[in-house]
Amino acid sequence: MGEGGCQCGAIRFQNASTEGALYVCHCKECQKQSASAFGISLVIDAAALTVTKGEPQVWTRNADSGRQVRCYFCPTCGSRLWHEPAEDPVTVRIKGGALDEPPDLSKAIHIWTDRRLAGVVLPEGVQTFPGEPP
């Protein structure tokens, strides 16, 4: 369970889930979206996410996997909040930076590692996938 929101505070949400897979994604889209080396996503059931303040905007893009992704963000500050698959939004992927309590990345699953930036060192023993996991 946790809370989160955008950088300016216009959007707030609650995550009622106590479980979820944590991914560090090294794809080019996550690099662009985060303006950093990778993106962080906590995958939870969509029903566990509740917007408690504000109204996020959404736009749809094609993912490296070829599927479409709906991306939710704050219309005031532009902070990315979560993503969901357009075809079957049963789960959402909360962006790590939108969470009030930062996630522990020590056991995160690293995906699209074949696109990671030079110099990014992956922790020993973590689960990795060169592309999209099966």
Side-chain angles (χ1 to χ4, degrees), residues 23-72:
Y23 291 93
V24 174
C25 182
H26 299 269
C27 79
K28 299 298 181 194
E29 285 298 321
C30 282
Q31 291 171 9
K32 285 183 179 189
Q33 176 264 306
S34 68
S36 187
F38 51 79
I40 302 168
S41 296
L42 175 64
V43 181
I44 64 163
D45 289 333
L49 182 70
T50 304
V51 176
T52 58
K53 179 183 176 189
E55 189 171 327
Q57 297 258 330
V58 64
W59 71 282
T60 302
R61 67 169 178 84
N62 291 324
D64 280 347
S65 66
R67 295 181 290 217
Q68 288 200 319
V69 177
R70 285 195 286 256
C71 307
Y72 289 80

Side-chain angles (χ1 to χ4, degrees), residues 61-131:
R61 67 169 178 84
N62 291 324
D64 280 347
S65 66
R67 295 181 290 217
Q68 288 200 319
V69 177
R70 285 195 286 256
C71 307
Y72 289 80
F73 63 96
C74 173
T76 304
C77 67
S79 296
R80 195 71 63 92
L81 302 166
W82 65 85
H83 295 171
E84 66 184 21
E87 294 84 17
D88 189 17
V90 175
T91 60
V92 295
R93 289 137 180 86
I94 299 174
K95 303 312 292 177
L99 296 166
D100 291 348
E101 188 67 34
D104 176 1
L105 298 182
S106 63
K107 292 191 170 61
I109 300 165
H110 289 255
I111 62 175
W112 290 99
T113 56
D114 65 345
R115 296 187 180 174
R116 69 186 161 124
L117 297 180
V120 172
V121 179
L122 301 179
E124 284 189 41
V126 296
Q127 189 174 12
T128 64
F129 293 91

